[in-house]
């Protein structure tokens, strides 16, 4: 059987590049490489999505069995980009396409050599990940081979920009993180109704030791019950809101501690019942997740949430922002989590999980079953093979639409 070649196109890539879409692209690339595919990546030399400054050397390298081509960035993100966004995005659906493309280019990464590299791919399939950046917007309709779009999108202002109608229409197949993401795309872009697609998710496995005692000792945590928020400390991820709501709960009940772990984008003032760990060494990540009485994901905008599934894998129940449909979907499908949309139900969820260890154990078991059934590497690999099989059988010039594929 001929080796299947797939080339991922993503703005940033690497083991030390933080971000949900970036982690998603890397996890799929590594999964397919282990499955015997010829996997390649075209990306920028940037590590930061805020500046797009070149941090990696341009050229080709082999990383975890994947051939990675990094291309230099021509223009750094301008200092007035945020002001430009404030003018453009509130009325995103009404601006003209030229202005929308200007926003895309200003956002970055602006890399003409990256676009040229994508245009030169003449074998296999191209997988674009995510929808939002120049490499996808400027390339997906102008390539030589069939395409899969991993949009990794959620309901956010840029999704209304007029350029994305053509981006989604150009995709030969769609791979969604969740059913909620699929429904959002089908509602916004009716051209995708006949596009082959699958609710793929991401492969999530336990990749380190699960030793709660060692993790707590190494990170300076005592035996006080705690709720964990694992991810970037950032107002956009819900950090400010969760600090306020947990403090109100603590004032009422005097129960538990809140632990923030992850890269610190900004440092808030912390009350005595909150511990901020900063980035956690990988060897203690799963131990920390297992030690927590619950994981809280307060983010209002997620398309999947890898850390939620990681918590489920080690048997830790979750509490999520109920306004975020993908997070809500995981909780409803698994029976392993609670959700909140206001102060009262947030406090009720905290109280239930802090007080009821039998409930925590039951939800933990449900979470393990859900994560292993739907997001093991073998499960995701099988769904991806099903989606891409037909793409390899036809050159793009004669490629036709096929039946809708769902999980």
């Amino acid at each position: 059987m001929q080796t299947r070649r797939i080339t991922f196109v993503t703005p940033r890539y690497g083991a030390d590049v933080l971000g949900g879409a970036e982690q998603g692209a890397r996890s799929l690339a590594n999964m397919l490489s282990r499955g015997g595919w010829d996997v390649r990546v075209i990306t920028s030399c940037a590590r930061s999505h805020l500046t797009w400054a070149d941090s990696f050397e341009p050229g080709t390298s082999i990383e975890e069995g994947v051939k990675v081509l990094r291309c230099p960035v021509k223009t750094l993100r301008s200092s007035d980009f945020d002001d430009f966004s404030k003018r453009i995005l509130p009325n995103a659906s009404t601006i003209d396409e030229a202005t929308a493309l200007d926003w895309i280019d200003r956002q970055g990464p602006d890399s003409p050599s990256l676009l040229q590299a994508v245009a030169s791919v003449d074998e296999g399939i191209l997988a674009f990940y995510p929808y939002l950046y120049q490499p996808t917007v400027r390339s997906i309709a102008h390539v030589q081979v069939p395409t899969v779009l991993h949009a990794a999108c959620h309901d956010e202002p840029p999704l209304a920009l007029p350029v994305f109608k053509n981006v989604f229409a150009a995709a030969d197949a769609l791979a969604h993180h969740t059913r909620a993401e699929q429904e959002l795309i089908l509602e916004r872009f009716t051209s995708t109704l006949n596009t082959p697609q699958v609710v793929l998710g991401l492969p999530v496995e336990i990749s380190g030791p699960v030793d709660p005692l060692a993790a707590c000792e190494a990170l300076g945590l005592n035996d006080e019950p705690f709720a964990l928020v694992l991810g970037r400390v950032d107002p956009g991820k819900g950090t400010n809101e969760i600090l306020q709501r947990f403090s109100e709960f603590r004032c009422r009940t005097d129960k538990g501690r809140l632990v923030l772990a992850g890269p610190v984008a900004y440092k808030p003032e912390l009350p005595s019942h909150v511990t901020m760990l900063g980035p956690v060494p990988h060897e203690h990540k799963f131990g920390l997740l297992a030690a927590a009485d619950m994981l809280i994901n307060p983010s209002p905008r997620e398309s999947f949430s890898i850390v939620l599934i990681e918590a489920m894998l080690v048997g830790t129940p979750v509490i999520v922002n109920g306004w975020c449909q993908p997070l809500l979907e995981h909780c409803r499908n698994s029976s392993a989590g609670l959700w909140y949309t206001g102060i009262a139900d947030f406090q009720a969820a905290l109280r239930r999980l802090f007080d009821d260890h039998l409930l925590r154990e039951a939800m933990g078991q449900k979470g393990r079953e859900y994560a292993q059934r739907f997001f093991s590497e073998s499960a995701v690999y099988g769904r991806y093979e099903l989606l891409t099989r037909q793409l390899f059988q036809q050159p793009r010039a004669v490629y036709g639409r096929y039946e809708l594929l769902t999980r």
Side-chain angles (χ1 to χ4, degrees):
M1 178 177 167
Q2 187 176 8
T3 300
R4 291 158 294 184
R5 177 178 295 179
I6 185 168
T7 303
F8 284 87
V9 180
T10 187
R12 302 180 296 152
Y13 188 87
D16 61 346
V17 173
L18 301 177
E22 292 79 8
Q23 289 183 57
R26 180 169 159 260
S27 69
L28 289 174
N30 289 341
M31 175 190 77
L32 295 173
S33 178
R34 287 190 290 269
W37 294 40
D38 177 1
V39 184
R40 306 179 179 207
V41 172
I42 300 175
T43 188
S44 77
C45 293
R47 180 178 282 111
S48 169
H49 70 290
L50 299 177
T51 66
W52 298 111
D54 288 343
S55 296
F56 298 96
E57 289 295 320
T60 301
S61 60
I62 304 297
E63 301 176 21
E64 301 170 289
V66 175
K67 186 176 182 180
V68 181
L69 172 63
R70 287 192 169 88
C71 304
V73 174
K74 175 185 176 184
T75 308
L76 300 183
R77 180 176 287 182
S78 63
S79 59
D80 66 349
F81 175 71
D82 288 343
D83 290 335
F84 185 65
S85 297
K86 290 175 183 177
R87 296 198 305 271
I88 296 302
L89 295 183
N91 301 299
S93 63
T94 64
I95 67 172
D96 60 84
E97 187 162 327
T99 304
L101 285 171
D102 185 25
W103 185 87
I104 292 293
D105 293 338
R106 290 187 187 212
Q107 178 187 220
D110 181 14
S111 177
S113 60
L114 192 160
L115 301 183
Q116 292 168 7
V118 175
S120 69
V121 174
D122 59 2
E123 183 180 345
I125 63 178
L126 280 161
F128 290 89
Y129 208 138
Y131 83 101
L132 187 59
Y133 295 94
Q134 188 196 75
T136 297
V137 175
R138 289 285 191 181
S139 296
I140 193 169
H142 309 289
V143 295
Q144 304 178 57
V145 299
T147 59
V148 180
L149 176 57
H150 297 258
C153 75
H154 40 72
D155 191 3
E156 58 184 343
L159 190 62
L161 290 169
V163 293
F164 293 120
K165 180 178 180 181
N166 292 333
V167 167
F168 281 88
D172 295 312
L174 296 168
H176 308 290
H177 282 160
T178 59
R179 184 76 63 194
E181 183 190 3
Q182 181 185 44
E183 291 172 352
L184 173 64
I185 291 171
L186 291 173
E187 178 184 350
R188 293 289 188 93
F189 307 105
T190 56
S191 65
T192 64
L193 285 169
N194 294 319
T195 305
Q197 54 196 273
V198 66
V199 179
L200 181 70
L202 288 171
V204 183
E205 306 275 354
I206 296 175
S207 58
V210 184
D211 190 334
L213 293 177
C216 288
E217 182 177 355
L219 298 171
L221 300 174
N222 57 29
D223 58 359
E224 182 181 14
F226 69 94
L228 173 66
V229 178
L230 180 56
R232 192 168 72 247
V233 179
D234 187 327
K237 289 291 187 179
T239 303
N240 285 352
E241 179 183 275
I242 211 67
L243 283 171
Q244 178 184 348
R245 291 187 173 186
F246 192 92
S247 294
E248 292 170 356
F249 169 79
R250 173 79 181 214
C251 184
R252 286 174 175 267
T253 66
D254 199 33
K255 290 178 184 290
R257 170 166 293 275
L258 180 66
V259 174
L260 306 177
V264 181
Y266 95 115
K267 190 172 182 178
E269 291 187 15
L270 300 178
S272 60
H273 57 264
V274 177
T275 298
M276 186 158 66
L277 299 175
V280 175
H282 185 77
E283 62 266 27
H284 296 308
K285 175 183 175 180
F286 289 96
L288 178 64
L289 281 167
D293 291 83
M294 70 208 74
L295 175 84
I296 303 176
N297 190 334
S299 176
R301 291 183 177 137
E302 297 284 337
S303 66
F304 182 71
S305 184
I306 294 171
V307 71
L308 204 72
I309 307 303
E310 289 175 332
M312 291 181 182
L313 276 174
V314 298
T316 299
V318 301
I319 297 176
V320 306
N321 186 335
W323 295 112
C324 181
Q325 292 302 309
L327 300 183
L328 181 61
E329 177 181 319
H330 284 313
C331 289
R332 285 176 166 165
N333 287 348
S334 66
S335 299
L338 305 175
W339 57 92
Y340 63 91
T341 56
I343 295 174
D345 48 356
F346 176 72
Q347 294 192 4
L350 282 175
R351 186 186 292 271
R352 286 192 70 191
L353 290 183
F354 273 130
D355 288 350
D356 193 338
H357 75 278
L358 293 178
L359 176 62
R360 292 199 305 271
E361 290 177 2
M363 292 175 69
Q365 182 58 35
K366 291 287 187 181
R368 285 192 189 93
E369 294 169 357
Y370 172 73
Q372 291 168 357
R373 178 182 178 188
F374 291 111
F375 304 116
S376 66
E377 187 165 294
S378 61
V380 176
Y381 186 92
R383 292 196 292 272
Y384 206 65
E385 276 206 319
L386 182 63
L387 178 69
T388 58
R389 186 178 300 152
Q390 297 170 94
L391 298 183
F392 284 111
Q393 294 172 354
Q394 300 284 353
R396 194 173 205 210
V398 296
Y399 180 73
R401 299 300 189 189
Y402 295 88
E403 65 178 320
L404 181 73
L405 299 173
T406 56
R407 186 176 72 206

